[in-house]
């Protein structure tokens, strides 16, 4: 059969249309129909289990708000795509804190902890009748405080002008982490199931003049600040200040030279309560959009403000904040220093702030994640 040019052109147009229809149908199938079908299938057969709030109404969380200077900040979303992230669960487990058992040996244990940290009985500046014991080293001025009931440890040393007691190049991040973990194990404040799952933050320090400041050079490192965090399930556990682990200590580089020297650990803050990780209780979580709406309206709690260039070895003073750009948000669990019954989830909003007076810095905001109908009303 012989075809003229007109017939060839007609056949070409016809098969081109058929080809376009076939290709269009293919892409319609893989890009629209299949994903929609999969989404429908998941919605029908993979529905999340309903909440199981067996602990009843939970106590409202008490956050520790960071003091700011007459600040009325404005909040804006600054994520990569300009949208709120997705994929958050609709329910999360709630865990019980284990009650601290009463012990007739609590006073003896506090005295043993003090001796381990280098304090003698003559350093005791309180009697043994109360709940909180205090020691003071007459040479270094270090003050140790131990609550025998809650077992909280707080040790503080003014490091200004003590450069003669520290040696450069005597500590690394790995050594600091190892020594901090061993310290809290020896003090029986380290949970071997949850803390190893969490993360550790280590900052090296060295003297600049009379003050301890951050350094990134191991050859100069004389001390390290170590913050330990624990984790339950897929979520980290954060305390009142997310930049401060509930177990944290300053570790001196030459600590092995004299195990009883109070300057081996010039600063310690240890808050430890065991958690029952076996829980069947699950509670509804508010959508991220609801949490962001509240935070952007100024209803979140600012728990950390760190100006750029802050010295991590010194306390951060109250800071003014202006515009806030939130670029990261996620779920975590919140543990207070005050005694609580349950470990509850929260939303964490991280970002940067700017002011007209300085370079600004970083900011962290907390907001409760458990749906309001499952929380006791504040009277």
């Amino acid at each position: 059969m012989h075809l003229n040019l007109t017939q060839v052109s007609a056949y070409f147009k016809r098969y081109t249309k058929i080809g376009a229809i076939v290709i269009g149908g293919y892409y319609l199938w893989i890009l629209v129909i299949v994903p929609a079908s999969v989404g429908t299938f998941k919605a029908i057969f993979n529905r999340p289990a309903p909440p199981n709030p067996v602990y009843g109404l939970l106590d409202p969380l008490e956050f520790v708000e960071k003091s700011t200077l007459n600040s009325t900040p404005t909040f804006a979303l600054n994520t990569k795509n300009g949208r709120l992230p997705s994929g958050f669960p609709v329910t999360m487990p709630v865990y019980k804190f284990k009650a601290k058992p009463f012990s007739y040996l609590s006073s003896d244990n506090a005295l043993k902890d003090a001796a381990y940290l280098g304090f003698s009985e003559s350093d005791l500046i309180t009697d043994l009748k109360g709940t909180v014991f205090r020691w003071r080293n007459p040479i270094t001025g270090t003050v140790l405080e131990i609550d025998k009931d809650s077992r909280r440890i707080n040790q503080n040393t003014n490091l200004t002008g003590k450069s003669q007691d520290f040696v450069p190049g005597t500590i690394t991040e790995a050594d600091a982490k190892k020594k901090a973990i061993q310290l809290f194990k020896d003090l029986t404040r380290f949970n071997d199931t949850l803390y190893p799952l969490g993360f550790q933050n280590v900052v090296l320090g060295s003297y600049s003049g009379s003050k301890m400041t951050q350094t990134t050079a191991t050859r100069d490192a004389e001390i390290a600040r170590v913050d330990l965090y624990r984790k339950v399930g897929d979520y980290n556990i954060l305390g009142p200040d997310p930049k401060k682990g509930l177990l944290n200590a300053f570790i001196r580089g030459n600590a092995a030279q004299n195990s009883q020297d109070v300057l081996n650990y010039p600063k310690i803050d240890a808050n430890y309560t065991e958690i029952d990780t076996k829980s069947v209780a699950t509670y509804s979580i508010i959508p991220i959009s609801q949490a962001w709406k509240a935070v952007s309206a100024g209803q979140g709690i600012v728990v950390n403000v760190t100006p750029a260039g802050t010295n991590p070895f010194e306390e951060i003073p109250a800071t003014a904040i202006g515009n806030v750009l939130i670029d990261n948000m996620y779920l975590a669990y919140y543990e207070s220093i005050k005694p609580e019954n349950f470990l509850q989830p929260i939303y964490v909003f991280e970002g940067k702030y700017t002011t007209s007076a300085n370079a600004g810095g970083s900011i962290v905001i907390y907001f409760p994640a458990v749906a309001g109908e499952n929380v006791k009303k504040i009277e």
Side-chain angles (χ1 to χ4, degrees), residues 54-366:
V54 294
Y55 296 145
L57 295 180
L58 303 175
D59 294 324
L61 294 175
E62 295 184 41
F63 300 131
V64 180
E65 188 165 15
K66 175 68 177 178
S67 177
T68 56
L69 299 175
N70 300 323
S71 301
T72 351
T74 60
F75 299 88
L77 198 61
N78 191 43
T79 55
K80 290 181 179 179
N81 59 5
R83 300 177 182 176
L84 294 171
S86 59
F88 289 101
V90 296
T91 63
M92 281 182 66
V94 167
Y95 301 93
K96 265 189 176 181
F97 284 106
K98 293 182 180 179
K100 289 184 172 68
F102 173 78
S103 173
Y104 289 104
L105 299 176
S106 58
S107 296
D108 292 338
N109 292 333
L111 293 173
K112 288 179 182 178
D113 291 338
Y116 174 87
L117 295 172
F119 290 85
S120 65
E121 191 172 333
S122 62
D123 296 329
L124 192 65
I125 57 176
T126 59
D127 57 38
L128 300 178
K129 297 178 181 179
T131 298
V132 178
F133 302 161
R134 292 185 182 88
W135 295 257
R136 186 181 185 277
N137 183 281
I139 299 174
T140 65
T142 303
V143 175
L144 169 66
E145 181 176 290
I146 299 179
D147 187 321
K148 70 181 182 69
D149 292 338
S150 70
R151 302 185 70 234
R152 179 180 183 182
I153 296 178
N154 183 269
Q155 180 164 302
N156 190 51
T157 306
N158 184 353
L159 293 176
T160 301
K162 291 186 172 62
S163 59
Q164 71 277 3
D165 296 306
F166 295 80
V167 181
T170 53
I171 194 164
T172 65
E173 289 189 12
D175 288 339
K177 189 185 302 185
K178 182 178 179 181
K179 288 177 180 178
I181 290 173
Q182 190 60 52
L183 166 68
F184 291 117
K185 280 185 175 181
D186 291 343
L187 294 171
T188 62
R189 267 88 171 170
F190 187 91
N191 186 305
D192 282 335
T193 60
L194 294 183
Y195 270 108
L197 299 175
F199 67 98
Q200 304 85 34
N201 189 51
V202 181
V203 179
L204 299 178
S206 66
Y207 271 97
S208 175
S210 63
K211 287 191 174 184
M212 187 69 72
T213 59
Q214 183 176 359
T215 181
T216 56
T218 304
R219 67 179 180 274
D220 298 328
E222 302 171 274
I223 197 172
R225 171 178 172 163
V226 183
D227 292 88
L228 304 179
Y229 297 81
R230 51 184 169 176
K231 186 177 185 179
V232 59
D234 296 326
Y235 303 97
N236 290 315
I237 300 174
L238 302 178
D241 185 342
K243 302 296 185 181
K244 184 178 181 180
L246 288 167
L247 294 181
N248 68 85
F250 287 14
I251 310 295
R252 184 168 67 168
N254 54 348
Q257 294 182 12
N258 182 354
S259 61
Q260 297 300 308
D261 192 334
V262 296
L263 288 180
N264 287 341
Y265 314 106
K267 294 193 179 186
I268 300 174
D269 201 359
N271 299 274
Y272 177 67
T273 305
E274 288 194 37
I275 299 168
D276 184 355
T277 57
K278 296 179 180 179
S279 174
V280 297
T282 55
Y283 283 73
S284 297
I285 302 301
I286 64 173
I288 183 63
S289 57
Q290 182 178 335
W292 169 242
K293 182 178 180 181
V295 168
S296 60
Q299 297 172 15
I301 303 298
V302 175
V303 292
N304 181 273
V305 177
T306 304
T310 292
N311 182 358
F313 293 93
E314 294 183 344
E315 294 295 324
I316 301 173
T319 306
I321 56 177
N323 297 325
V324 176
L325 298 176
I326 298 297
D327 48 35
N328 188 28
M329 54 200 78
Y330 55 90
L331 283 163
Y333 281 97
Y334 176 69
E335 180 177 357
S336 174
I337 293 176
K338 295 180 179 180
E340 292 182 326
N341 294 318
F342 304 105
L343 183 72
Q344 302 181 42
I346 59 170
Y347 277 108
V348 183
F349 295 82
E350 296 179 338
K352 301 175 182 64
Y353 74 91
T354 58
T355 68
S356 57
N358 55 52
S362 64
I363 188 170
V364 185
I365 299 166
Y366 285 169

